[in-house]
Amino acid sequence: GAGVSQTPSNKVTEKGKYVELRCDPISGHTALYWYRQSLGQGPEFLIYFQGTGAADDSGLPNDRFFAVRPEGSVSTLKIQRTERGDSAVYLCASSPLGVWEKLFFGSGTQLSVL
Amino acid sequence: DQQVKQNSPSLSVQEGRISILNCDYTNSMFDYFLWYKKYPAEGPTFLISISSIKDKNEDGRFTVFLNKSAKHLSLHIVPSQPGDSAVYFCAASHSNYQLIWGAGTKLIIKP
């Protein structure tokens, strides 16, 4: 596919469980971003990758959240010991090198923590 | 503290008329502003942007106006079409990837 792909589209889990959310960016896009959107709010920045390394993880809310991008393409956002407050849509975006303003977003993963 | 505010949760406009979506910001250090559009079950898509050195940027039916003294920007859509029905997000930046987003305005275009 030509766009950013996120899987799963929906994830329901129980409080305290571990979840992984996957993002497959547009081929050739070196920059990858994770955002979180809570109900009734705009997206909130979580982390930015340039290539394989996390260039900026200042938006991660706490140490339960971690993201990797080992080969500079697919990224996984990992959430440990999930809490009900983690329920949100997790959006992934990618962009070409140096083009930060025009992000290409995936459809998101709706995470529900029961 | 919300640095970017979209005070109208929704807006209804007749097809063919002008749609005006508003956005206010508090941080005078923002120097780049963007509008994204979002359809249900899809991610946001980039629409138009403006640098703080300009006060207007136009792209087809879409024009963004920036009033730095009032810390206010607006998106004008003329003429409005049914396909414009979506949620519109305003975002601001310090010329880097960390976009600060408003809560969005749902635009409904009535036939």
Side-chain angles (χ1 to χ4, degrees), chain A residues 33 35 37 40-45 48 55-56 58-59 89 91 100-108, chain B residues 31-32 34 36 38 41-46 49 89 93-104:
Chain A
Y33 315 79
Y35 278 82
Q37 186 177 12
Q41 299 181 23
E44 174 191 18
F45 170 80
Y48 158 60
D56 183 352
S58 63
V89 175
L91 293 164
W100 55 266
E101 64 274 17
K102 187 174 181 179
L103 304 184
F104 295 82
F105 281 89
S107 300
Chain B
D31 56 9
Y32 206 85
L34 309 94
Y36 275 74
K38 184 183 182 303
E42 295 184 12
T45 56
F46 172 82
S49 62
F89 290 97
S93 168
H94 301 286
S95 281
N96 66 38
Y97 50 82
Q98 278 210 29
L99 303 183
I100 310 298
W101 299 66

Side-chain angles (χ1 to χ4, degrees), chain B residues 78-94:
Chain B
V78 182
S80 299
Q81 298 174 354
D84 296 331
S85 294
V87 176
Y88 289 78
F89 290 97
C90 168
S93 168
H94 301 286

Side-chain angles (χ1 to χ4, degrees), chain A residues 53-114:
Chain A
D56 183 352
D57 64 359
S58 63
L60 295 177
N62 52 60
D63 61 7
R64 295 186 298 105
F65 288 75
F66 190 71
V68 295
R69 194 186 185 198
E71 297 177 357
S73 178
V74 171
S75 176
T76 305
L77 178 65
K78 309 180 181 196
I79 310 174
Q80 298 177 319
R81 304 183 304 279
T82 51
E83 300 178 356
R84 292 196 179 87
D86 299 336
S87 296
V89 175
Y90 288 81
L91 293 164
C92 175
S94 69
S95 68
L97 179 65
V99 181
W100 55 266
E101 64 274 17
K102 187 174 181 179
L103 304 184
F104 295 82
F105 281 89
S107 300
T109 294
Q110 172 70 64
L111 176 66
S112 301
V113 182
L114 305 179

Side-chain angles (χ1 to χ4, degrees), chain B residues 6-11 21-22 35 86-89 103-107:
Chain B
Q6 293 178 257
N7 292 318
S8 298
S10 66
L11 175 68
L21 297 106
N22 294 303
W35 287 93
V87 176
Y88 289 78
F89 290 97
T105 296
K106 183 176 183 178
L107 177 64

